Amino acid sequence: CWCCWCCIHSKMVACCGMLFSVYLLAAAICQGAAIPMLKDLEEALLYDAFPESSGKCNGVGSGHFFSSFNHTASSSYWSPLSANYEPNVFLAEFGHVEEGNVNQSWTARVGHGSNVYSFVGAYGEAIPPQEHNDAPWIDEVWQLVSVNGVLNSNDHKYFIHQAGTYQRDPILDTHPFYSPNLGKMCGEKECRFMSWAQHAHVPTNFTSAAHYFSRYRDCGQGVMEVTYMIQNVAEVTDSSSMWNYFNVPWAGVRTSSLRDMLIARSTPEEGLEIIDPLPNFGSDGLLNLQNFGGFTTFSQGLPRNTSFDLPCGDGSGSVVDCNSSESIKLSLSMASDNACAESPGHTAAWGQYTVKCTLAPTVNLGINGCGSCLLEFYTNNPMDAPVAASVLHWAHNGGTLFFFPQDTAEHLNAIWSGGESLHVRLFDNSVAEEDNLALSFVHGRDEERAEAWHSGNARIRYGRGGSTIRDYTVWTVNSFSTVRPGDTYYFRQYTISDRFADTATHAHAWVSEAKQGWYKRGEKQGRPIRFLSWSNSTFTAIVGDSEFDGCRTTVPTVCVGSTTPQLNFMPLYRILCGNETYVGHDRYFFTPKQGADAVRSYLCDGAYYPDSSPSWMLLGYFPNNACSPLRSATFDASICESTTSTSTS
């Protein structure tokens, strides 16, 4: 059976198309019987869905690819808020081992939504530790997001997440709902997944018609090709299912693993430009892809100047420019001995040990702080070890420092005496440049921006992601087009794990391989899918025109569809809820009818979540209601068993 996979993953695209039917039959024979299986249909849908991979992604190097759908304990540190949910989010693990060069080895874990939720290289875990209430592997992961900018509002947020929903519906308090997987497969050098993406903000009055697809392909030498695909499967009359703002992907890194962010200049010889200081996310940090070299790099920590300028205020609680005439420089001096104590209310509110220290009178900076900065506080006494901390409030009411130290209040009182001045510098965890490791995201330079379907310049957004406890540097690619019902948009990108010193040359070589594309329903060629049944209580599925001829000509055909979206075809699902089965187009068939403001796809009507939650599988694309006789039917591979036995003997 390996020969079929070798063909599928070679450059022989035409060969692959002709021989995939042979692969399905061969797979069944290898399993011991030439009968069609649901797995065959699943793999056919995933194989036909994607655009071509880059011809350059051919798995060169001395390494090997591995994959598994079996969960094992994660070796990464995860926040206690989320760690218990890690087995729930897990769907698959895969990666690359580069023999003799651990710097180009990587391991990814993918959740049910088809998104990466763990990515480990020689630099450690790249995904933030999930110190995020109500969002265990829902937000701070690498995922697709689609937004309807017309319907999105503060009262009714419209964000369709690849990962799943926030736990903001009381029903989800103890069990997250991850976007349902619709299909999965792993082969010789790649894994492919598809999911039904969910509205993140629940309960919601919106429904989702978003199929998200992800293909992760091992190109060798530390390079992973990622093809993201957003498919709008709504009815053409559904005006709410129109998306015009995308994160492709919404991503970022664990700051403690990959501290510094750099952008590529135009050529390898020009090198990379570090973004320092990194702004808070949302305050700044926008850059069009066409205006730099095609990739973004995160390194462990390059040598840097650790000086830090204390802020200035005008006494009103505001921070002002230190060069302005009314500015007063902040000074930090202990008002007395034993000036520090825990602030229990802040500890509870922030989920992080918080200390307040009474200062000698200084300028009032109100609630201003530096929560995303990791700083060192030190005195003039060389015997006192520096204290690492981030700051909640520099000088509340001109007299109290609130901060998050990595030491206890008792320890601070032992080393800081009354009247003693504190100095501040950046915490230095730098590594020599030649020893730095790096992770790069290759997104290209938006060469497709002149295409008719492209409605704005693609860009990156970046910045610090809140307090240091979140350990999160936010980074995302925004793309702009209007994806209406029947449209599909895709974006092929690359991640590269390597030494920082080799990054400029290595990543630049892949910039031209990044690609965006778009097509309408009916423009992507597929293969026929036939559902066969004797009685409509059970059915089997045949993909293509040639395989299982004996069964196809003997068992009655109920309906014929396609492996890809076609004109006037709609997606067909098998949905299971407890002992109930539904085959049809309605993704919300088992969802309780609880009114317009409570669309809860994660509930089976009349059942308690999570003991009974629906599961979905995509069966293909079929004319509306063509398969209605099979509405309550179950899949039965043995239907073809007798008719194929003679043709395979």
Side-chain angles (χ1 to χ4, degrees), residues 362-377:
T362 185
V363 62
N364 175 20
L365 292 183
I367 62 172
N368 288 286
C370 199
S372 60
C373 306
L374 187 55
L375 306 170
E376 280 188 333
F377 291 74

Side-chain angles (χ1 to χ4, degrees), residues 310-608:
L310 289 173
C312 297
D314 59 7
S316 69
S318 299
V319 172
V320 299
D321 189 330
C322 288
N323 294 318
S324 65
S325 58
E326 71 273 17
S327 68
I328 305 170
K329 188 82 167 182
L330 172 68
S331 62
L332 299 174
S333 180
M334 294 296 100
S336 64
D337 291 345
N338 300 314
C340 300
E342 183 187 1
S343 178
H346 287 91
T347 297
W350 289 90
Q352 189 172 3
Y353 180 70
T354 309
V355 170
K356 59 180 179 180
C357 296
T358 304
L359 301 173
T362 185
V363 62
N364 175 20
L365 292 183
I367 62 172
N368 288 286
C370 199
S372 60
C373 306
L374 187 55
L375 306 170
E376 280 188 333
F377 291 74
Y378 64 100
T379 69
N380 292 325
N381 185 349
M383 300 301 292
D384 294 339
V387 174
S390 56
V391 178
L392 180 60
H393 309 311
W394 282 113
H396 190 257
N397 289 329
T400 309
L401 167 68
F402 290 86
F403 67 143
F404 307 118
Q406 296 180 4
D407 295 274
T408 65
E410 291 74 17
H411 175 74
L412 301 181
N413 287 330
I415 62 173
W416 294 347
S417 50
E420 191 160 26
S421 295
L422 299 180
H423 310 287
V424 181
R425 64 192 174 209
L426 295 175
F427 180 80
D428 191 17
N429 58 348
S430 300
V431 179
E433 182 169 332
E434 61 271 21
D435 295 327
N436 256 261
L437 303 176
L439 171 66
S440 297
F441 294 90
V442 180
H443 38 66
R445 302 187 64 183
D446 198 21
E447 302 293 349
E448 299 82 4
R449 58 187 177 274
E451 297 287 343
W453 50 264
H454 211 304
S455 58
N457 293 323
R459 69 189 187 189
I460 59 169
R461 291 185 70 196
Y462 54 88
R464 298 180 185 274
S467 67
T468 53
I469 193 172
R470 286 178 70 178
D471 200 5
Y472 183 28
T473 301
V474 187
W475 178 87
T476 182
V477 175
N478 290 142
S479 66
F480 301 90
S481 62
T482 301
V483 177
R484 296 182 174 86
D487 295 344
T488 297
Y489 165 75
Y490 68 87
F491 200 152
R492 189 175 74 201
Q493 302 178 23
Y494 300 86
T495 65
I496 301 178
S497 298
D498 207 345
R499 294 175 62 242
F500 174 76
D502 298 326
T503 292
T505 300
H506 198 175
H508 265 292
W510 288 90
V511 169
S512 62
E513 302 304 313
K515 181 180 180 181
Q516 300 176 70
W518 185 92
Y519 56 85
K520 285 182 170 293
R521 187 178 283 153
E523 293 180 352
K524 182 78 166 66
Q525 185 177 358
R527 286 171 292 146
I529 303 171
R530 287 176 171 80
F531 286 169
L532 313 179
S533 177
W534 289 113
S535 64
N536 293 336
S537 61
T538 60
F539 72 99
T540 193
I542 302 270
V543 179
D545 286 321
S546 58
E547 67 271 40
F548 307 110
D549 281 332
C551 185
R552 185 165 60 87
T553 57
T554 304
V555 183
T557 296
V558 178
C559 49
V560 180
S562 173
T563 55
T564 58
Q566 302 300 316
L567 290 173
N568 302 315
F569 281 31
M570 297 301 294
L572 192 78
Y573 307 91
R574 184 197 66 178
I575 309 176
L576 305 178
C577 249
N579 295 323
E580 299 294 319
T581 298
Y582 165 75
V583 175
H585 303 291
D586 184 4
R587 292 174 292 279
Y588 293 91
F589 181 79
F590 287 112
T591 300
K593 308 303 185 284
Q594 297 176 322
D597 292 326
V599 179
R600 292 182 167 99
S601 55
Y602 36 87
L603 287 180
C604 281
D605 198 3
Y608 177 75

Side-chain angles (χ1 to χ4, degrees), residues 193-228:
F193 306 95
M194 54 183 169
S195 58
W196 175 33
Q198 299 295 300
H199 279 276
H201 299 272
V202 292
T204 181
N205 60 329
F206 299 120
T207 58
S208 169
H211 284 182
Y212 287 172
F213 294 76
S214 297
R215 177 179 64 200
Y216 305 96
R217 182 160 172 77
D218 179 16
C219 304
Q221 296 181 330
V223 181
M224 178 178 74
E225 181 183 84
V226 187
T227 303
Y228 300 105

Side-chain angles (χ1 to χ4, degrees), residues 636-649:
D636 183 4
S638 67
I639 289 175
C640 280
E641 192 166 12
S642 60
T643 61
T644 57
S645 59
T646 56
S647 61
T648 58
S649 59

Side-chain angles (χ1 to χ4, degrees), residues 226-278:
V226 187
T227 303
Y228 300 105
M229 196 163 72
I230 296 169
Q231 189 179 90
N232 189 332
V233 297
E235 296 272 7
V236 294
T237 56
D238 184 357
S239 60
S240 68
S241 293
M242 182 277 295
W243 315 314
N244 55 7
Y245 178 95
F246 304 94
N247 299 108
V248 195
W250 172 267
V253 297
R254 184 177 295 205
T255 312
S256 59
S257 297
L258 295 160
R259 187 192 72 193
D260 295 335
M261 175 181 160
L262 306 96
I263 57 172
R265 295 190 174 102
S266 297
T267 66
E269 292 73 27
E270 293 177 281
L272 308 177
E273 176 184 346
I274 191 167
I275 306 297
D276 187 28
L278 198 65

